Amino acid sequence: MTEKAKPSPEAIKAWARLMRVSRQLMERAEDALKEGGLPPLAWYDVLHELAEAGEGGLRPFQLIERTLFAQYNISRLLARLEADGLVEKLPVADDGRGHHIRITPKGRETRRRMWAIYGRSIEELVGAKLSSDELSTVSALLGRLRHPPTGD
């Protein structure tokens, strides 16, 4: 490892805090859903993407791209969502083995109920603790980490 490749103490501290805080916030949001008798957050992510996609739904590979789940995880999750009547498979006309996944009315209602708790968790865990300017700053900084500049 070259000197340039070694992280600074500040980078290590920022990384550690980001990982810890991220995990803690996700656990608290998950706990709130569980206390409300609702499914895990991963279900919300899939239902949200399918609701945003509209009536045509999405192909499984598109869900993988949008949610960043591994293929084997999304396959099991979709099977569970389908068994619970929250999504349905639709055949793809020009692909005998392919299918679209579409959210059902029951899935939309589950997503709505989940959002009531998830949205409240976001507000309590983040929104109520930071000012509007601080939220904008955090969002901008995290955006830079997600989409690093090209060139260097």
Side-chain angles (χ1 to χ4, degrees), residues 36-143:
L38 293 166
L41 201 48
W43 290 36
Y44 180 84
D45 291 342
V46 170
L47 294 173
H48 173 76
E49 291 300 333
L50 291 172
E52 292 294 308
E55 287 302 309
L58 294 171
R59 300 282 298 259
F61 76 88
Q62 292 171 307
L63 269 172
I64 291 167
E65 291 170 355
R66 291 180 185 201
T67 61
L68 302 179
F69 287 112
Q71 190 276 329
Y72 62 89
N73 286 335
I74 202 78
S75 295
R76 284 191 299 229
L77 179 54
L78 288 174
R80 182 71 194 273
L81 291 169
E82 184 179 24
D84 284 3
L86 304 179
V87 302
E88 60 186 346
K89 289 182 183 176
L90 305 170
V92 176
D94 60 348
D95 181 353
R97 295 186 310 147
H99 55 274
H100 283 94
I101 307 296
R102 179 171 62 188
I103 190 170
T104 64
K106 182 179 178 184
R108 289 184 189 283
E109 175 58 21
T110 298
R111 176 181 174 250
R112 187 195 63 71
R113 289 180 30 243
M114 290 179 79
W115 177 249
I117 292 174
Y118 184 28
R120 187 170 54 244
S121 292
I122 292 170
E123 177 55 26
E124 290 171 0
L125 297 169
V126 180
K129 294 185 178 185
L130 300 173
S131 70
S132 181
D133 287 344
E134 290 168 330
L135 290 167
S136 294
T137 298
V138 168
S139 181
L141 291 171
L142 291 173

Side-chain angles (χ1 to χ4, degrees), residues 33 53 96:
L33 288 169

